[in-house]
Amino acid sequence: MITQFETALNQRREALYPLFQHLVRLGRPFLLRGDIMDEVAGYCATDPKAEASICDPNLNQWFRQVQEAVVGPNWLCMGVRVGIARWRYIRLHVDEMIAESLSVQEYLELKEKAVLGPGASETRPLEIDTEPFNRGFPKMTKSGSIGRGVEFLNRHLASQMFRDREAAGVRMLRFLKLHQVDGRSLMVNDRITDLAVLEERLREATTLTGRLDPQTPWSELSAPLQELGFEPGWGGTAERALESFELLSELLEAPEASVLERFLSRIPMIFRIAIISPHGWFGQEGVLGRPDTGGQVVYILDQVRALEAHMRRWFADQGVDVTPRILIVTRQIPENEGTTSDVRLERVHGTRNADILRVPFREKSGEVVPHWISRFSVWPYLERFALESERELLAEMGHRPDLVIGNYSDGNLVASILAHRLGVTQANVAHALEKSKYVLSDLYWKDNEEAYHFSTQFTADLIAMNTADFIITSTYQEIAGTEDTAGQYESYSQFSMPGLYRVVNGIDLFDPKFNIVSPGAAADIYFPWFENSRRLPGLHPELLDMLFGENTGACHRGNLVDPDKPVILSMARLDRIKNLTGLVEAFASNETLREQANLIIIGGRDINPDALSDREEQDEARRMHELMDQYGLDQQMRWLAVHLSKPQAGELYRVIADRRGVFVQPALFEAFGLTVIEAMVSGLPTFATCYGGPLEIIQDGSNGFHIDPIHPEQVAQRISTFLTEVRAEPARWDALSHAAVDRVHSRYTWDLYAERLLTLSKVYGFWRFVSDLERHETVRYLEMFYHLQYRPLADSIRSD
């Protein structure tokens, strides 16, 4: 790669030298990809000769691959992403126009010096490198395989395991004999003593079930099958049991990875699940829109309902009489502010045996912390919270959980502690990694330490990522980004927090622990506007008054003088990253769009900044007022700081669709985008950020539109163009509406999610048992990192 760059330098030295001189003379220590592309474009616009040279295909590709640059007095050191999850580092000496390759350590050292200054200590910092512990571990090699870890793992380990067919059969039999629930044996009993007996009894069981009516219930099969050595768990009917017997027979005879996964998915292994989500206000009513409380809460509640429903159906299909138990472990907040966050145990609506279990944070003295704490400041409390949660979990379940699922950085760390102590499978869901959301937050961690404590959070992330048995992401790009931009997890591969430590190998994206399992929208709440029999017309007067009425209470601003125009709707927390004010500015700056449509923003808990406790929310509220004043938007825009119940939110989308409106999600970054699929499945043409999950959810121009929030004028123009097309050809709106619905139904449902998650849990649980997937060396290394690095950082927050 560097040879190609050097060739281009030599061939176009005259044109490139002034450009690189210009980049150095900007006087900025760091340049990001967007900065570099903008400077190159601006430079070319002023010099046609330079443009002709730089537009050379090889050079153009080069500049697109440069993700960042460290700038010195007469050099540029560039981080070049030559492919997904593959980086190279090059230093260009501008005066001589000579390029040289750098190691990741050398590159990170230059970044550190750019932050700390020339007087920085020459002492080598602590380096974190997990790669040596994973050298013998199976890893993928193709970027297209990233996120399909279980498929790779099955193929690789199955091929190894079944090389010795007899030994593999013995291990499978041992695994089958493990399973029981509430003291009852499942799958195989002691009448099957060895592999030869298992194979003989499988033939007999296959003959027996094959002769019966396919719908014969297990209760009529249990006696003869138990004599053969088979317990419940094979199937609820003769047909289902026959399929399971045949799968195992096929697996023992001619093993294939796909057959192994299908068979494992049928084994009753997951009965009790603990889902960990400590921060925010976790509740079912009156919490959404509060600080740190949004899509993650909706995700987990819908996840739990889907898991319980799927487990109940699955147990019935497999002939297992057992009640699933799911507990969401979160923080108890005594000063509940009218919510149920002080209630220890709360049943999840729509479930029979799933509860929210709340455990308090405690000071070192044991005193309960009564008030809400920002997600950026929870770290000192998590270790004690984990230990107390373990006791509470065991007391409520009567048994250890079979699976622990962590959510967000804090929940993932607690899940790591619990899973390690209990010896159970651990899954992580990041939702969003702060490192990707806050630019240069690693390099300038000291500047942000008082407010955000990124040093502690990034340390916790590294520990949790590497201890998890498997990691769930909603999209591919969440792991590895796109061809042009790095993914959330990719940003943890190599980075530095100057003066603290540097990471040369933090997480390997080719590790088979990564799997894509996309969530869905609650099907009973979010459904298309044209399914009239399911609509909630009783909510319409209230919703229409909220949107267009003159007296909607104190938490609104703006009255629409022309309510018949189509509505541009956006709904999110009032956080900087959600960029609601950016959408307002885009709308306000485009006169054509203001003539075409009204803008309705639903965000925040109050329109009075002084009534808000969260600093970011205060700043965004003030900015919203400034924009409405500056552009005179009070007759073309309505801002509502209201909380909607889920039925209200679902019907709101459909009411906007009735009026031929659109939904816009303008976030600067969005890990997935639940509101995107909620709006789409409701039939609203949707415009969503190109940074994050919506890039995969939406197929641009086919079932929605991508927008770049960094360029608000383009956002406004794209919405305006669509509305113009719809006015000329109304069928255009209908086509997008139906395509959006079809897209969600085919890819993003909770039924698909629950089935896949449980299958993953079983497959990883199986491989933990029959092979060395627990990575003891890595765990020991991370334990040291936890005690020597994480714990002091967390304790320092408490003392601040």
Side-chain angles (χ1 to χ4, degrees):
M1 183 201 68
I2 190 169
T3 302
Q4 294 176 343
F5 180 55
E6 285 178 322
T7 300
L9 283 178
N10 291 329
Q11 292 175 345
R12 291 169 174 78
R13 180 180 299 268
E14 183 179 346
L16 290 174
Y17 177 77
L19 170 60
F20 288 122
Q21 284 281 358
H22 169 70
L23 294 177
V24 168
R25 288 170 182 165
L26 289 172
R28 297 166 61 179
F30 298 102
L31 295 173
L32 300 179
R33 180 176 183 272
D35 302 324
I36 295 169
M37 295 300 290
D38 288 345
E39 292 297 332
V40 169
Y43 179 76
C44 290
T46 62
D47 188 343
K49 183 183 294 186
E51 181 179 15
S53 298
I54 294 171
C55 282
D56 170 88
N58 290 332
L59 270 181
N60 190 42
Q61 181 184 8
W62 166 265
F63 282 116
R64 287 183 59 197
Q65 291 176 332
V66 177
Q67 298 291 311
E68 60 184 22
V70 189
V71 184
N74 61 349
W75 50 262
L76 286 169
C77 183
M78 292 168 279
V80 187
R81 190 169 177 265
V82 297
I84 288 175
R86 293 184 171 90
W87 289 70
R88 300 289 183 272
Y89 303 101
I90 294 175
R91 176 158 55 187
L92 173 68
H93 298 274
V94 176
D95 289 342
E96 295 85 8
M97 294 294 278
I98 297 175
E100 62 176 325
S101 291
L102 297 178
S103 67
V104 62
Q105 288 93 336
E106 290 171 326
Y107 177 71
L108 292 176
E109 183 179 356
L110 288 174
K111 295 178 78 170
E112 292 157 5
K113 288 182 176 179
V115 172
L116 299 175
S121 171
E122 295 295 328
T123 305
R124 181 178 175 181
L126 171 65
E127 285 189 353
I128 307 302
D129 186 357
T130 62
E131 195 274 336
F133 299 101
N134 298 321
R135 282 178 183 161
F137 200 82
K139 291 192 294 187
M140 299 170 287
T141 57
K142 297 180 180 178
S143 59
S145 298
I146 292 173
R148 299 164 57 188
V150 77
E151 299 174 33
F152 169 82
L153 196 65
N154 261 347
R155 287 196 305 270
H156 181 85
L157 294 183
S159 66
Q160 290 187 337
M161 174 180 171
F162 288 101
R163 285 175 185 169
D164 184 337
R165 178 178 166 275
E166 184 168 349
V170 170
R171 278 185 285 180
M172 179 62 76
L173 177 57
R174 286 174 50 219
F175 180 71
L176 292 175
K177 283 191 172 185
L178 284 177
H179 302 295
Q180 58 175 287
V181 61
D182 300 332
R184 293 173 287 151
S185 294
L186 299 172
M187 301 304 291
V188 171
N189 61 37
D190 290 338
R191 291 185 175 90
I192 297 178
T193 55
D194 55 37
L195 179 60
V197 173
L198 173 62
E199 292 178 321
E200 178 186 347
R201 299 292 169 80
L202 279 172
R203 287 191 289 271
E204 294 180 43
T206 300
T207 300
L208 172 64
T209 51
R211 289 173 177 170
L212 297 173
D213 183 308
Q215 299 308 311
T216 303
W218 176 264
S219 58
E220 297 180 21
L221 302 172
S222 60
L225 287 176
Q226 190 174 51
E227 283 295 316
L228 292 176
F230 298 109
E231 298 291 342
W234 295 90
T237 64
E239 180 181 38
R240 180 89 174 170
L242 174 61
E243 292 172 356
S244 299
F245 292 136
E246 289 177 336
L247 280 172
L248 181 55
S249 297
E250 182 181 352
L251 193 59
L252 295 174
E253 181 65 30
E256 288 186 10
S258 60
V259 176
L260 177 62
E261 182 173 323
R262 287 170 59 201
F263 178 68
L264 292 176
S265 71
R266 291 174 173 240
I267 298 179
M269 295 168 59
I270 309 296
F271 307 101
R272 307 171 184 88
I273 302 175
I275 297 175
I276 317 299
S277 182
H279 78 260
W281 298 80
F282 200 103
Q284 302 180 82
E285 297 174 358
V287 298
L288 295 183
R290 290 172 175 267
D292 301 339
T293 309
Q296 177 185 330
V297 173
V298 176
Y299 177 109
I300 294 172
L301 291 172
D302 286 344
Q303 174 197 54
V304 166
R305 296 184 186 100
L307 285 172
E308 190 198 58
H310 182 84
M311 291 168 75
R312 286 184 179 279
R313 290 194 302 269
W314 184 87
F315 289 146
D317 287 344
Q318 289 304 112
V320 179
D321 182 18
V322 64
T323 299
R325 184 76 168 116
I326 303 176
L327 287 175
I328 303 169
V329 182
T330 188
R331 187 205 161 192
Q332 188 178 46
I333 307 176
E335 294 178 3
N336 65 0
E337 297 186 10
T339 71
T340 58
S341 295
D342 60 329
V343 177
R344 177 183 175 273
L345 199 65
E346 179 184 354
R347 178 58 45 89
V348 175
H349 302 333
T351 70
R352 290 188 244 170
N353 209 26
D355 292 282
I356 302 169
L357 173 65
R358 297 187 178 92
V359 178
F361 284 172
R362 295 186 186 274
E363 301 288 3
K364 283 187 175 180
S365 62
E367 181 183 359
V368 171
V369 179
H371 51 273
W372 168 83
I373 295 175
S374 163
R375 71 184 187 274
F376 297 113
S377 302
V378 299
W379 307 105
Y381 306 98
L382 294 183
E383 185 171 346
R384 185 163 186 165
F385 174 83
L387 300 179
E388 191 166 341
S389 294
E390 179 185 358
R391 293 192 296 271
E392 296 288 332
L393 270 172
L394 294 175
E396 283 299 321
M397 286 186 169
H399 195 279
R400 69 179 185 176
D402 305 298
L403 173 67
V404 176
I405 304 174
N407 291 272
Y408 194 73
S409 298
D410 51 355
N412 288 332
L413 183 71
V414 173
S416 297
I417 297 171
L418 286 172
H420 179 62
R421 289 176 59 85
L422 296 170
V424 299
T425 303
Q426 174 194 351
N428 283 1
V429 186
H431 295 282
L433 293 167
E434 302 291 348
K435 189 169 176 297
S436 301
K437 292 162 61 176
Y438 292 83
V439 178
L440 300 180
S441 53
D442 50 354
L443 289 175
Y444 292 102
W445 67 275
K446 287 185 178 180
D447 296 341
N448 296 303
E449 196 66 358
E450 182 178 353
Y452 295 113
H453 304 293
F454 285 138
S455 63
T456 313
Q457 180 159 7
F458 299 167
T459 304
D461 284 334
L462 285 171
I463 293 168
M465 289 174 191
N466 285 284
T467 56
D469 292 294
F470 66 100
I471 294 172
I472 297 169
T473 70
S474 299
T475 60
Y476 175 91
Q477 62 75 36
E478 189 177 337
I479 311 169
T482 66
E483 289 292 336
D484 294 329
T485 58
Q488 289 190 67
Y489 282 95
E490 189 175 0
S491 71
Y492 281 78
S493 299
Q494 296 94 25
F495 68 95
S496 177
M497 289 188 283
L500 188 62
Y501 60 80
R502 72 170 63 131
V503 178
V504 296
N505 281 289
I507 186 70
D508 188 346
L509 304 193
F510 294 94
D511 192 303
K513 68 172 57 184
F514 286 103
N515 292 273
I516 301 168
V517 187
S518 299
D524 58 332
I525 300 293
Y526 303 103
F527 53 85
W529 59 273
F530 47 78
E531 293 185 8
N532 292 317
S533 62
R534 303 176 64 190
R535 295 285 299 267
L536 305 172
L539 295 179
H540 288 193
E542 178 185 2
L543 290 174
L544 291 173
D545 183 63
M546 181 185 74
L547 297 173
F548 306 111
E550 293 187 6
N551 298 304
T552 59
C555 286
H556 94 285
R557 178 175 173 180
N559 289 295
L560 304 174
V561 296
D562 188 356
D564 294 329
K565 290 195 294 189
V567 169
I568 300 168
L569 172 68
S570 193
M571 183 162 49
R573 296 192 312 274
L574 202 59
D575 292 346
R576 181 185 64 83
I577 202 74
K578 295 299 183 182
N579 196 37
L580 291 178
T581 54
L583 175 59
V584 173
E585 188 166 15
F587 173 80
S589 302
N590 189 300
E591 289 294 336
T592 302
L593 187 57
R594 291 172 65 171
E595 288 294 322
Q596 290 173 304
N598 292 316
L599 176 63
I600 294 180
I601 297 288
I602 299 179
R605 293 178 296 127
D606 202 302
I607 67 168
N608 179 8
D610 295 332
L612 300 169
S613 57
D614 182 75
R615 182 168 52 189
E616 272 197 22
E617 196 173 6
Q618 290 174 348
D619 292 343
E620 288 297 291
R622 291 191 181 96
R623 178 62 177 156
M624 192 77 79
H625 285 296
E626 290 170 1
L627 289 169
M628 295 186 74
D629 291 338
Q630 177 183 349
Y631 290 97
L633 293 175
D634 284 282
Q635 295 184 337
Q636 296 168 311
M637 169 188 164
R638 171 162 286 188
W639 170 27
L640 293 156
V642 296
H643 167 68
L644 298 177
S645 67
K646 290 182 71 173
Q648 286 176 318
E651 195 61 26
L652 172 65
Y653 287 126
R654 293 185 287 270
V655 166
I656 300 299
D658 291 338
R659 307 171 79 87
R660 318 292 277 187
V662 300
F663 180 80
V664 181
Q665 201 268 35
L668 299 174
F669 179 84
E670 185 62 59
F672 179 64
L674 279 175
T675 57
V676 172
I677 60 171
E678 289 170 359
M680 290 175 68
V681 80
S682 301
L684 264 181
T686 299
F687 297 74
T689 180
C690 63
Y691 299 110
L695 190 64
E696 290 179 40
I697 296 172
I698 290 174
Q699 297 167 308
D700 189 48
S702 174
N703 42 48
F705 301 96
H706 297 147
I707 55 174
D708 185 348
I710 295 175
H711 299 286
E713 70 286 351
Q714 296 176 13
V715 172
Q717 186 56 51
R718 186 136 212 218
I719 300 170
S720 177
T721 298
F722 176 71
L723 294 177
T724 300
E725 293 172 353
V726 168
R727 172 169 283 188
E729 185 183 354
R732 171 78 167 134
W733 190 97
D734 291 285
L736 257 294
S737 174
H738 285 81
V741 173
D742 292 343
R743 175 67 172 172
V744 175
H745 283 168
S746 66
R747 295 285 297 273
Y748 303 102
T749 71
W750 282 112
D751 285 343
L752 292 172
Y753 176 99
E755 179 180 8
R756 190 60 182 158
L757 173 56
L758 291 171
T759 296
L760 290 173
S761 305
K762 295 172 185 179
V763 173
Y764 281 95
F766 170 76
W767 287 119
R768 281 189 68 191
F769 176 77
V770 301
S771 65
D772 183 22
L773 276 194
E774 297 189 63
R775 309 193 224 202
H776 298 290
E777 297 88 352
T778 306
V779 171
R780 299 300 291 173
Y781 177 71
L782 293 170
E783 282 181 345
M784 182 172 63
F785 188 43
Y786 178 93
H787 288 285
L788 298 181
Q789 192 73 69
Y790 170 80
R791 188 179 277 167
L793 288 170
D795 286 344
S796 71
I797 298 173
R798 195 193 298 264
S799 63
D800 283 350

